[in-house]
Amino acid sequence: MNEVRIGVIGTGVMGTDHARKLAGGIPGARLTAVQDFAADRASALAQELGVLAIAEADALIADAEVDAVLVCSPDGTHAALGLKAIAAGKPVLIEKPVAAERGEVEALMRAEMAAGRKLVQVGYMRRFDPGYAEMRRVVASAEVGSPLFMHCQHRNESSPSYLTSELIIANSAGHEFDAARFVLGEEIVAATVISPPEPRHAPGRQPQFIVLQSASGTVVDIEVYTDARYGYDVQAELVCEEGTVRLRPGPPTSLRHAARDGLVVPPDWRARFADAYRLQFESWVRSIVTGQSNEGSTAWDGYMTLLVTEACLKAWSTGNRIAVEQPERPAFYQG
Amino acid sequence: MNEVRIGVIGTGVMGTDHARKLAGGIPGARLTAVQDFAADRASALAQELGVLAIAEADALIADAEVDAVLVCSPDGTHAALGLKAIAAGKPVLIEKPVAAERGEVEALMRAEMAAGRKLVQVGYMRRFDPGYAEMRRVVASAEVGSPLFMHCQHRNESSPSYLTSELIIANSAGHEFDAARFVLGEEIVAATVISPPEPRHAPGRQPQFIVLQSASGTVVDIEVYTDARYGYDVQAELVCEEGTVRLRPGPPTSLRHAARDGLVVPPDWRARFADAYRLQFESWVRSIVTGQSNEGSTAWDGYMTLLVTEACLKAWSTGNRIAVEQPERPAFYQG
Amino acid sequence: MNEVRIGVIGTGVMGTDHARKLAGGIPGARLTAVQDFAADRASALAQELGVLAIAEADALIADAEVDAVLVCSPDGTHAALGLKAIAAGKPVLIEKPVAAERGEVEALMRAEMAAGRKLVQVGYMRRFDPGYAEMRRVVASAEVGSPLFMHCQHRNESSPSYLTSELIIANSAGHEFDAARFVLGEEIVAATVISPPEPRHAPGRQPQFIVLQSASGTVVDIEVYTDARYGYDVQAELVCEEGTVRLRPGPPTSLRHAARDGLVVPPDWRARFADAYRLQFESWVRSIVTGQSNEGSTAWDGYMTLLVTEACLKAWSTGNRIAVEQPERPAFYQG
Amino acid sequence: MNEVRIGVIGTGVMGTDHARKLAGGIPGARLTAVQDFAADRASALAQELGVLAIAEADALIADAEVDAVLVCSPDGTHAALGLKAIAAGKPVLIEKPVAAERGEVEALMRAEMAAGRKLVQVGYMRRFDPGYAEMRRVVASAEVGSPLFMHCQHRNESSPSYLTSELIIANSAGHEFDAARFVLGEEIVAATVISPPEPRHAPGRQPQFIVLQSASGTVVDIEVYTDARYGYDVQAELVCEEGTVRLRPGPPTSLRHAARDGLVVPPDWRARFADAYRLQFESWVRSIVTGQSNEGSTAWDGYMTLLVTEACLKAWSTGNRIAVEQPERPAFYQG
Ligand SMILES: [Mg+2]
Ligand SMILES: [Mg+2]
Ligand SMILES: [Mg+2]
Ligand SMILES: [Mg+2]
């Protein structure tokens, strides 16, 4: 395959962003079609980018001009669309979360195993962020010893009114779970959740403090605060036996102005993870062309993140430390 | 009182350091006597500093040339010496921990209340560190809203072989407990402890991860790692509703050399808290001269820190979240 | 034009790097041919990348499979190859410096003007570095006022033995001259050079300190130290009336290890300017496809940088402040 | 001498600050008297601090309760008051500049040599700033090689209307000249001045860019911008053969708030140099008590700084590089 022709399902904020990037910005990729349940929105984007608007997701998946599918539709549709892409034998990159129910991911994995090759990648793009990648490299190389702690902070400037304390765990924290598994290179086995009070400006949404423990004992603590006001901010420090590695995100310049010296903090994730998204797409396209697997999240990774999420929800509602179920990892997903 | 004449009990590493500072470095203070159970050590220091060596602690406390007493002797003797200073009507600054048993601190408090004035200060010097003081100011002013989280890291380069996992909680973590109470301005009500594995180079000593919650719900997480190898490092970030404040310790210069750009990390606490110790002594002396109370830890603070410690030890041994006992605060210790 | 087919002349260190990037890493570009005077070297690279090795530069420029030419051959050949590309009507990106003699650049400009369209871009890739681009944006927007100073430091870890004090000005400093013109958006009119002594480990090579002044009076000072030992380091601070902007380069993580806390400094420019090179190529390819000009250095920019260089060399040899010649800018190169 | 009793001449902003520090904040020192030509101002301060107000400077110098004199009166009176203190055999700390005319400093030096002991210290307090002290240590130890460059920036938030371009060189830059001599441990031999345009909000005051060269060739560049708006900011980077040392001033915390992450920049020098002033006074008092010389600026240092200033003024008015006169250093001021 010389050039990967991509169809995008779902042209909301994220799907539109992704479609624009794929239309010219990713070597070896060509955007050929977009689809959205709001047909007007899809048409407008298709016209802007000079690609086809297809009315139905099924038709897009089946289209002869589509080699691979990017799923950015509403969360509830992710798994079903993934199954259809597998049925069509086409690689599919599914925005996170891969599913809301474990049964859906199990079905995805069964279908993929039946197909005999990995077709699903889950859009946990942080795996392609140079900072997280460096943390993983440090763990794997053991050059400053084994990991003891991983301290994580995830802050949004503000969040939509439908976001609840529960959804903060069920949805916002997912990137952190996947990142911890990726950096540490092992499963999470237990979860504890301790919550501070709701901030006054965001009633009904407690920030969350989640403490995970990995198979070999590393303690991972995660602050998720989705109404931090000052901006979008994702931080992490990995503490190993002999040294620590800290993310150092931020703009390429610092500013001294108006009695402050430092960085401008952006309001959303776009600048922070622009490189990660680009590198994720490049890697996905390369893995399709070469048939080689990449660092991206597999269906298994999506599954285990879901099990961590379930444990956290239970830990939150009970106040107890909850073990994360550890199903046997199929040989298909090993190595 | 024009000049406060100070006697130092205990001339180990810390007592010697303190004695040298008091001998000329603190305005309004004059070192007049030192005592140690190792008489030679006390004599040598007394000669170096031109002060009196006194053989017995009781005699030092009673000495007419001693207006106030600094207790740096072994931990087990702190409370008893404090009682004797109170009996002599002399202000006493006791290195932390103020006592190992709660009964000892209760006795101290009773004696102090009977004396009718505050004579005891506990040497939690971080209260005088400009960084922690700024954090407290930010909380008190509410200028970036109420506190939600306080993330703390305490790392030593290495630790003596007698230090155990338990002592890390019982002793090393004490500064963190007092600092959290000081910054937040309220009591700690619950504790959870989750421990990563022992590092290979320090068998028998698990680093500890302690999660506290304050009366109004702020979550305080504390990493204590006493064998971090790269140096002595104390960090904290206070996360409030609308902004965060982070300690920014370190040397007055940065260095680019040998493929690294950044700070030199010192091996111990001396450089990190030199200002805090100086300001603690200045404040103590000023409070003695003026009779005004200061920001320092009182016997009550030492007591509550001990109760937090007890809860943490129980949380660690049981794996459960443990409530911190909340005795009624005597009026004497209010305000 | 759908895809730009690129031929690379010169497969030394930089040409090889560039060829690898163009072979798959730049959307809309395809590497089709490489050439080097060392035929073996070109063949090996051609084989690695699955492209054609062409024996002669002229043949590469003429090749029907080559739409655009990247010139990475030895400095002395740059201008002549540029002229041939213009003669062939093909866009050409020439590594800096565009020429050693002003007559050569004048010939390039004449040829380009005769051709009636801009075909030459000079490889001052810093214009595509997000940090310098932000500095330019700040100047153009005047959001912190007009520029007063620009402080620049350029440090290499070490340099080849043929590098002389004179070549440090004539060659190493070129990136700084172009960057200053780019950021400030105006010409440099005067130069002063003041040199510290040779470092003991690099006899025969004085670091240089160059002070330029722009048309409106901004003072630009440039340290060039090519034997700094600790690594490759390019810094700049732009001081405007009401605030300053500083480059904040460096790795995506910081490290605490071995008594140091901070950044690892790389030994060469590759990591520092990887984004700049990628963005330069993307922009070049896009400008070829769309026929729109970009932010890249034109032949005029290469010319003016050469005149600044000449003034600096004269300032250095005489010890005087030297005016930079200001030829009239052809309308072709305006706007 | 057990306690040094100090009289302060001049109770303007700086004299008042200093008097308050000396009244209780400096070990071994006691403030006993203050004087100001505005008698009311002196009386009010005397009352606040519980010391004597003396009407005439001569009387203060002569007073039996005054062991040492701090001169904070208007610049034009510094040298004459210094002479009187010498005549009285009393140590005197003179705020910078020590004099406006070289003849005045020569007279001071002659008087001091005649008295046979060093009585004069000039208030260049940066010598006691831990950052500059570390830079000096690095040069003296040669641990990263010999110095090649020293890049300095001095920025005020705003400046009084009487400040002119000339006074920026004659007065504001003095701290930089003394600091460079102190850090490098050698004399400045040449000066060049190049000025950017006046900022629009401060007409009549050009920022200045001064390039000095030391005896062994180190290039020292100094930006002085007294109307920088964003705050008070003093920076410096020392570039040695194998590494660089940079000042790292700033508050003990950093702040994330309102779309910014970094430091709060104070409007004036008080916070920035609070430690330096304290350490300067402590060192001065200790040197008086012990009779040992300290790191402070001597009359010779004040003299040489004045000669550098004269060269800079001439360089500025002529546009030429100007040699700094190098009178022979009296044996009295050596070592
Ligand atoms: Mg994502
Ligand atoms: Mg302590
Ligand atoms: Mg280049
Ligand atoms: Mg001063």
Side-chain angles (χ1 to χ4, degrees), chain C:
Chain C
M1 192 182 302
N2 217 328
E3 186 185 54
V4 179
R5 295 167 303 172
I6 296 171
V8 172
I9 297 177
T11 59
V13 174
M14 184 140 281
T16 295
D17 251 38
H18 286 350
R20 285 187 182 131
K21 262 175 206 134
L22 289 166
I26 303 299
R30 184 152 59 93
L31 181 73
T32 46
V34 297
Q35 183 274 343
D36 197 275
F37 71 91
D40 283 6
R41 190 160 68 174
S43 295
L45 185 64
Q47 196 156 0
E48 173 194 329
L49 301 176
V51 303
L52 206 61
I54 297 183
E56 297 296 327
D58 290 18
L60 182 142
I61 292 170
D63 197 281
E65 297 292 306
V66 168
D67 299 320
V69 179
L70 174 61
V71 174
C72 307
S73 51
D75 291 3
T77 67
H78 287 180
L81 290 166
L83 278 175
K84 287 175 179 172
I86 293 171
K90 295 186 178 178
V92 59
L93 175 52
I94 306 175
E95 262 305 315
K96 65 101 214 170
V98 64
E101 297 293 331
R102 64 162 75 184
E104 293 180 308
V105 202
E106 289 163 355
L108 260 187
M109 292 193 290
R110 277 194 307 269
E112 197 175 31
M113 288 189 273
R117 61 192 177 109
K118 284 187 192 144
L119 290 165
V120 174
Q121 181 170 334
V122 184
Y124 287 114
M125 77 292 173
R126 289 194 194 170
R127 292 176 173 232
F128 300 94
D129 175 74
Y132 284 101
E134 170 67 4
M135 283 188 168
R136 177 180 172 88
R137 190 194 66 73
V138 167
V139 169
S141 73
E143 70 190 33
V144 289
S146 297
L148 300 171
F149 298 98
M150 185 171 168
H151 304 303
C152 309
Q153 293 92 38
H154 174 121
R155 299 181 195 134
N156 299 92
E157 188 207 39
S158 59
S159 35
S161 59
Y162 64 75
L163 198 76
T164 59
S165 301
E166 187 168 351
L167 277 172
I168 287 176
I169 297 173
N171 203 320
S172 312
H175 277 298
E176 304 296 331
F177 302 156
D178 186 70
R181 291 180 64 256
F182 172 69
V183 167
L184 299 178
E186 62 179 15
E187 299 298 348
I188 301 302
V189 299
T192 308
V193 177
I194 297 168
S195 312
E198 304 166 2
R200 282 162 302 183
H201 60 276
R205 269 202 298 282
Q206 284 183 288
Q208 299 285 7
F209 191 70
I210 300 167
V211 187
L212 307 176
Q213 200 154 16
S214 74
S216 70
T218 305
V219 174
V220 179
D221 58 285
I222 300 168
E223 173 205 320
V224 188
Y225 180 30
T226 60
D227 298 276
R229 293 235 164 153
Y230 71 87
Y232 180 80
D233 198 4
V234 169
Q235 303 281 347
E237 184 185 25
L238 174 75
V239 183
C240 297
E241 288 169 306
E242 304 185 10
T244 92
V245 181
R246 175 184 280 279
L247 294 182
R248 184 177 168 272
T253 53
S254 66
L255 177 68
R256 295 177 188 188
H257 185 231
R260 303 286 293 275
D261 173 10
L263 310 180
V264 172
V265 183
D268 68 31
W269 68 89
R270 273 174 283 201
R272 173 64 184 87
F273 285 115
D275 275 346
Y277 280 117
R278 178 176 57 80
L279 294 166
Q280 172 184 258
F281 286 137
E282 289 183 11
S283 177
W284 182 48
V285 166
R286 208 162 40 238
S287 79
I288 294 171
V289 172
T290 62
Q292 310 264 316
S293 70
N294 69 359
E295 293 277 42
S297 290
T298 63
W300 172 260
D301 293 314
Y303 186 55
M304 290 311 296
T305 289
L306 189 58
L307 299 192
V308 173
T309 303
E310 288 179 9
C312 288
L313 286 168
K314 193 162 169 196
W316 179 60
S317 62
T318 62
N320 296 326
R321 175 177 166 104
I322 302 294
V324 178
E325 277 182 67
Q326 299 292 321
E328 201 182 347
R329 185 178 185 132
F332 183 84
Y333 290 109
Q334 273 162 27

Side-chain angles (χ1 to χ4, degrees), chain A residues 1 3-9 11 18-24 26 28-35 42-43 45-55 59-70 90 284:
Chain A
M1 190 183 302
E3 186 185 54
V4 179
R5 295 166 305 171
I6 296 171
V8 172
I9 298 177
T11 59
H18 285 349
R20 285 186 181 130
K21 263 176 207 136
L22 289 166
I26 304 298
R30 185 151 59 92
L31 182 74
T32 47
V34 297
Q35 185 274 342
S43 296
L45 185 64
Q47 195 156 2
E48 173 194 327
L49 302 175
V51 302
L52 206 61
I54 297 182
L60 181 141
I61 291 170
D63 198 281
E65 298 291 307
V66 169
D67 299 320
V69 179
L70 174 61
K90 295 187 178 178
W284 182 48

Side-chain angles (χ1 to χ4, degrees), chain B residues 4-38:
Chain B
V4 179
R5 295 166 305 174
I6 297 171
V8 172
I9 297 177
T11 58
V13 173
M14 183 140 282
T16 296
D17 250 38
H18 286 350
R20 285 187 180 129
K21 262 174 208 138
L22 289 166
I26 304 298
R30 184 151 60 92
L31 181 74
T32 47
V34 297
Q35 183 273 344
D36 197 275
F37 72 92

Side-chain angles (χ1 to χ4, degrees), chain D residues 234-279:
Chain D
V234 170
Q235 303 282 347
E237 184 184 26
L238 175 75
V239 183
C240 296
E241 289 169 305
E242 304 185 9
T244 92
V245 181
R246 175 184 280 280
L247 295 182
R248 185 177 167 270
T253 53
S254 66
L255 177 68
R256 296 177 188 187
H257 185 230
R260 302 287 293 274
D261 173 9
L263 310 179
V264 172
V265 183
D268 69 30
W269 68 89
R270 273 174 284 200
R272 172 63 184 90
F273 285 115
D275 275 345
Y277 281 117
R278 179 178 55 81
L279 294 166

Side-chain angles (χ1 to χ4, degrees), chain D residues 14 95-96 123-125 175 277:
Chain D
M14 184 140 280
E95 262 304 316
K96 65 100 214 173
Y124 287 115
M125 79 292 174
H175 277 297
Y277 281 117

Side-chain angles (χ1 to χ4, degrees), chain B residues 56-127:
Chain B
E56 297 296 328
D58 291 17
L60 182 141
I61 291 169
D63 198 281
E65 297 291 306
V66 168
D67 300 320
V69 180
L70 174 61
V71 174
C72 309
S73 50
D75 290 4
T77 67
H78 288 180
L81 292 167
L83 279 175
K84 288 175 178 171
I86 293 171
K90 295 188 179 179
V92 59
L93 176 52
I94 305 176
E95 261 306 315
K96 63 101 211 170
V98 65
E101 297 293 331
R102 65 163 75 183
E104 293 179 308
V105 202
E106 288 162 355
L108 259 187
M109 292 193 291
R110 278 193 306 272
E112 198 176 31
M113 287 189 275
R117 61 189 177 112
K118 284 186 192 144
L119 290 165
V120 174
Q121 181 170 333
V122 185
Y124 288 115
M125 78 293 173
R126 289 195 195 170
R127 292 176 172 233

Side-chain angles (χ1 to χ4, degrees), chain B residues 122-140:
Chain B
V122 185
Y124 288 115
M125 78 293 173
R126 289 195 195 170
R127 292 176 172 233
F128 301 94
D129 175 75
Y132 285 100
E134 169 67 5
M135 282 187 168
R136 178 179 171 87
R137 190 194 66 73
V138 166
V139 170

